[in-house]
Structures are given as C-alpha cells and as structure tokens.
Amino acid sequence: MSTESADSQGGKARSTAKFRGPVMFRRERKPGARTADRNLLDSRQDSDWVHTDPWRVLRIQAEFVEGFGALAEVPPAVTVFGSARTTREHPEYQAGLALGAALTEAGFAVITGGGPGAMEAANRGSSEAGGYSIGLGIELPFEQGLNEWVDLGINFRYFFVRKTMFVKYSQAFVCLPGGFGTLDELFEALTLVQTRKITRFPIILFGTAYWSGLVDWMRDSLAASGKISPGDLDLIQLTDSVEEAVRIIKGEHEGHPDIERLGTEDQW
C-alpha cells in the first residue's frame, strides 16, 4: 500500500500515518538515516541518546524492578524519616537510636533514607539491637551515600521510585524532626491516605515541640478555611514517647496483619 495520499485542498501528496503500537509515524525517513543496529553497535556515536526520554523510561523501569526485587522478602517494616543534618550529639539522634532499637524489639525491620543524621540513628539503633536495617538512598550532589549501619541498601536516581518503595514496604511512617525531604514524604503519605490511594496506616510525628506549630497551622489555616476536612487531622499522631509510637504501630499492624500498602495489581 502506498504511503502517499492526495491532499484534498491542493492535490499535494502527503504521507499516510503508520502506527507501531501507540506510536504514530508520518513521512518516510530521510535517505541515509541510521539503522537501529548501527545506532546500537557504532561506538563512534555520541552519548546523548542515554539522556533521551525513551531511554530514561527504561532506567526508571529498571529502578522499579531492582527495588521490588530487593525488597520483596523484607519482613514487616517501619520507615523512619528525619534530618540528615542532625548531629550525633543532639537529643534527636538519641531518640532515633532508641526508636530504631524499640522497633526491632517489636519485630519490625527499620527503613530509612539511608543517609546520615536522624536516618543513621534509626539504622544504627536497629542494627545494634540485632534487627534488619534498610536504607533507600538517593543520588544527591551533597550527600556521602549510605550510612554504615545499613544491612540492605539501594541507591535510587529518581525520588518518585524511592517514594513508592517507602510506601509499599512500610507498615507505618515515623517522622523525626526534619527539613524539606521529611516534609515531602510526610505530605506524600498524607495525600495518599486522604485520597484512599493506599490503605490507612500510622503517620507519627515524633517531637511535639518541633511539630506542634505545623499541626496548629494545618488546623487553624487548612481545616478552618475548608481546604481539608477536620477529620483529616486524625491521620496524624503526635508524640514524644518511643514506647507510645511503637504501641500505635503495633496496634495498627495487629489489626491488619495482611495489609497491602498499594492494594492489588487490579486496583493500580
């Protein structure tokens, strides 16, 4: 069949659209265009193709496959977020140590972002208590990689892939005092639970002095102006007690032993 058809306006021939799956092609390639094999095998070409969107999709897919494969057999786990800037002498670091140890003693693996500061504290507390300490890192220009107390570590290029792993493999989130990254994960979880994209699970803010101002603002500004429902604030629990945090998580976990964070594939 000819690839040319007459234009109804001026009789000018134009190419008929061709389809390869969802992709449409129109017009023949220019003479001398490179073949796919030549593009693959010719070592003299430049490397710009690595940064094209189709190739980037494959890299994203590979990150999901690597993450799912590595975490598939992880026991019930709790993710602890917090600032990478927390020093080892700070009380918040000591709280992270205690929290990591207590979660291990309660039977949970501990997942963090794998970095220094509060993340290191939770990983270290878990590791020193004999638990399973997991770090899901992210490539950043100013961080040194996974901390030394991570038993299973994965480094991601893409934040959104990493976020999926946090949500899929966690029974709860605990947020120690942190910055933009901690807030990002906090509000991602709140949005997913509020919109029922995932099953509700505990979201705990650890450190009342640090987090109370944010909670007050959500109540007095967001809820008061109707931007969220008053009941949405019940998705957050605030505490200064490691024991209370663990008790909340254990109570929720025991009530839903077979919980699936992202539902079944039919629901995706």
Side-chain angles (χ1 to χ4, degrees):
M1 180 182 293
S2 171
T3 61
E4 304 295 317
S5 63
D7 182 78
S8 59
Q9 296 293 323
K12 182 180 179 181
R14 66 182 182 86
S15 298
T16 302
K18 296 180 181 179
F19 293 87
R20 183 183 299 162
V23 181
M24 183 193 76
F25 299 89
R26 181 172 281 132
R27 291 181 290 276
E28 296 293 334
R29 291 188 295 176
K30 295 179 181 179
R34 298 169 65 96
T35 65
D37 282 342
R38 183 177 175 188
N39 284 332
L40 175 64
L41 299 174
D42 190 345
S43 62
R44 293 170 296 178
Q45 61 181 303
D46 61 46
S47 61
D48 288 347
W49 63 274
V50 174
H51 305 291
T52 61
D53 286 342
W55 178 249
R56 194 168 286 118
V57 168
L58 294 179
R59 291 168 68 176
I60 292 167
Q61 181 182 20
E63 287 209 354
F64 277 113
V65 171
E66 289 287 347
F68 290 154
L71 298 170
E73 297 181 359
V74 166
V78 173
T79 291
V80 180
F81 297 108
S83 175
R85 305 182 187 194
T86 302
T87 64
R88 292 180 178 177
E89 297 75 28
H90 199 284
E92 292 165 5
Y93 189 95
Q94 303 306 312
L97 285 172
L99 183 60
L103 288 169
T104 291
E105 291 165 5
F108 295 101
V110 172
I111 302 174
T112 78
M119 295 174 281
E120 175 190 289
N123 284 135
R124 180 179 176 180
S126 173
S127 179
E128 292 181 343
Y132 196 19
S133 176
I134 301 164
L136 306 183
I138 187 75
E139 288 187 359
L140 296 175
F142 46 80
E143 287 196 9
Q144 303 95 358
L146 298 172
N147 68 68
E148 62 183 296
W149 283 278
V150 168
D151 298 320
L152 170 64
I154 309 170
N155 265 316
F156 294 93
R157 286 189 181 94
Y158 301 100
F159 270 109
F160 59 87
V161 179
R162 181 180 182 236
K163 286 180 180 179
T164 300
M165 303 303 154
F166 282 135
V167 173
K168 181 170 176 60
Y169 294 102
S170 297
Q171 305 296 315
F173 281 2
V174 181
C175 297
L176 294 166
F180 285 158
T182 302
L183 290 170
D184 180 40
E185 300 293 354
L186 167 63
F187 283 105
E188 176 89 9
L190 286 172
T191 301
L192 290 171
V193 173
Q194 181 206 46
T195 56
R196 300 184 182 180
K197 298 295 280 186
I198 60 173
T199 307
R200 179 173 175 174
F201 64 94
I203 301 170
I204 300 168
L205 301 182
F206 192 95
T208 54
Y210 186 85
W211 293 111
S212 290
L214 176 63
V215 175
D216 290 344
W217 175 78
M218 286 191 281
R219 182 188 62 246
D220 298 338
S221 294
L222 297 183
S225 63
K227 301 299 188 297
I228 62 173
S229 300
D232 289 338
L233 292 172
D234 295 335
L235 300 177
I236 304 169
Q237 302 192 61
L238 196 62
T239 186
D240 289 312
S241 167
V242 169
E243 293 75 17
E244 183 181 8
V246 173
R247 185 165 58 248
I248 292 168
I249 295 166
K250 284 190 67 177
E252 187 72 16
H253 175 67
E254 290 167 359
H256 304 278
D258 299 317
I259 203 164
E260 283 289 342
R261 293 289 135 237
L262 293 178
T264 66
E265 289 187 13
D266 291 339
Q267 295 171 311
W268 294 357

